[in-house]
Amino acid sequence: MGKTLFDKVWDAHVVDTIKNGPQILYIDKHLIHEVTSPQAFNELKERNIPFARPDKTVATADHNTPTVDQHLPVKDELSRNQLAQLTANCKENNITLYGLGHKYNGIVHVMSPELGITQPGMTMVCGDSHTSTHGAFGTIAFGIGTSQVAQVFASQCLLLEKPKSLRVNVNGKLKKGVLPKDVILYIIAKLGTNSGTGYFCEYAGNVFEEMSMEGRMTVCNMSIEMGARGGMVAPDETTFEYVKGREYAPQGEEFENKVAHWKTLPSDVDAVFDKEYSFDAEDIEPMLTYGTNPGMGIKISENVPSENNASFEKSLNYMALEKGQSMIGKPINYVFIGSCTNSRIEDFRVAADYVKGKQKAQNVTAWLVPGSQQVATQIEEEGLKTIFEEAGFELRQPGCSACLAMNDDKIPVGEYCVSTSNRNFEGRQGPGSRTILASPLTAAAVAVEGKIINFVNHLN
Amino acid sequence: MAGFVKLIDTAVPLPTENIDTDQIIPARFLKATDKKGFGDNVFRDWRYNKDGSVNEDFVLNNPTYKGSILVAGDNFGCGSSREHAAWAIDGYGFKVVISSFFADIFKGNALNNGILPIQVTPEYLLPLIKLIQENPETKLTVDLENQLLSTPIGDASFEINSYKKICLTNGYDDIDFLISKKKEIELFEINN
Ligand code: SF4
């Protein structure tokens, strides 16, 4: 029987298998940030355990950072302390840190791929569930808890049971206006938020093969929202092209050798998956969520479904939406384009393309938060900044921002926010806020209109 | 954590069934940010009366019963997933808990904190509790290597995941275990 992409990468990283127990998995890269690392550093210090591989660890500050006036001292005391602790911990342990203001600073899952830290065939972890993003490179990448962060600090390994395998195939031609974000929201709406529990998912089919690396990252990012530990796309020429020449990418002959190896990674033709689903690309439309988990999504042309159960009703109640209603025409006062799902240059290009020559609606506050300093620079260099500013959008500085609203970027109580982030949980974007997940194109169209529109016919 | 091979000790009988994590450690004691100090408050609301005085009737306050083995009623450790319950049991000094059933999450948490949960049949448990209550000096022998509990009631074998057995025997948690594999890990690094 053939091996899956996941099997090949996993098996190559098993240091040891404990009889009737877990396996020891070697971790190639460990990404850390200010929020989930301090307790792990403390644990090591208390037990007098040396840090195993600082050279395989990279840190950034993103979750709890302000998106304005980053050159000034951080106002919030708790955040300031956390950042100071991260700086001190990294210094003490010789860990590379791209802190606030550094030209490489950014959201951990944006910063690492753009620097070429993320490479095919690697195992990567981070104390953040959207670490699945890096699977776009054919990497086994997943989020871990703080006690596991300490395990990796101490040994560069984790004790794990191997997950089962799942494959999601999407074939056919995507319709106009349908972005990678819509593809993944569609898959989650179809499969639900639990279908992936216990599995690692591979995305296959021509839709993913034809997708850019940034699109693949958007898809893999949300694997966790269907319960999967992570998602992967087989590495191919698109992947190699993307990695080539980046700061940490292998150079010259070493790169060629790596590529030769990476080419052996895709799943064998006769590989068998524990579970498999297939979807038709033509069936996908721009998507919106109407409820309080990412699985509660509909096509923009559809109405909110009618279900008679308490948790469904509680969810609609929170969102102040009615069963069977259309979302079209719903006034929206907040638009957020950002988060590790959709804050890369392509996301801003597609939004700018729509916005160019138009004005945001009067009622709308539109925040654009680039995923990294590098993306921010690109936005400026490509002239997108001018387009957005002329249209009345507010371009802020990089960070997680309103994705989890740990900093000041909060959506007010009761307000809707059409957001390109990944979670629409109750209060995720601020207490009482109501999140509608969508693609950056949908978000841009809503910002211009001031309400939800089916913009598909407006596309040229 | 200290290594665990064989333990011969007296036991504390606590026949109450369905002891949940809130009884083991009341929620108001969860604000601490480290793992220390929970032992002082284990079974807090049973050990002390409402006015703060010691409840002489509770078994932990009865000097006749001592030892590092807790023999508890059916379905021990149900309730929440909080690890604090295990920290409290450990903090008080119990190394082994015997019951006829354990909540799954408590069992995992206990093992991760160096506590051995031993599941026996109800037919074994009830006479054992009675025996200890009547003869507090009764010694129990816990042989982890052979997975055998020996008491005057007879011998009872018990199950344990073999990885966790290694951890307990050597007094490891996952971090210690991984560090003990340093050679293998370094070899892996050289070869890859
Ligand atoms: S942008 Fe949101 S999901 Fe992504 S790392 Fe930051 S907080 Fe997590």
Side-chain angles (χ1 to χ4, degrees), chain A residues 30 32 36-37 40 126-127 144-154 158:
Chain A
H30 188 189
I32 61 171
T36 54
S37 67
C126 173
I144 54 176
T146 295
S147 54
Q148 291 175 304
V149 170
Q151 288 175 33
V152 182
F153 281 176
L158 279 175

Side-chain angles (χ1 to χ4, degrees), chain A residues 16 19 26 47 53 159, chain B residues 162-163 173 176 181 188-189:
Chain A
D16 203 356
K19 206 172 139 237
Y26 192 81
R47 293 167 66 166
R53 296 297 304 258
L159 282 162
Chain B
S162 49
Y163 160 67
D173 69 1
D176 296 315
K181 293 281 178 179
F188 179 90
E189 286 180 325

Side-chain angles (χ1 to χ4, degrees), chain A residues 63 107-109 128 130 339-340 400 403-404 422 428:
Chain A
H63 278 63
I107 305 174
V108 62
H109 313 308
D128 180 281
H130 294 93
S339 90
C340 58
C400 293
C403 171
L404 87 166
N422 44 46
R428 168 84 175 183

Side-chain angles (χ1 to χ4, degrees), chain A residues 276-333:
Chain A
E276 191 148 10
Y277 300 99
S278 293
F279 299 104
D280 186 358
E282 277 87 14
D283 190 44
I284 308 175
E285 280 181 34
M287 299 288 294
L288 296 170
T289 60
Y290 58 87
T292 51
N293 73 57
M296 300 176 85
I298 49 172
K299 298 175 193 170
I300 201 161
S301 67
E302 286 178 335
N303 295 347
V304 173
S306 300
E307 265 180 50
N308 289 321
N309 79 63
S311 78
F312 180 84
E313 282 160 5
K314 179 173 174 279
S315 206
L316 282 199
N317 194 26
Y318 182 84
M319 292 299 290
L321 291 169
E322 302 285 329
K323 291 180 190 175
Q325 84 165 97
S326 162
M327 310 249 309
I328 309 284
K330 188 100 204 158
I332 302 291
N333 295 334

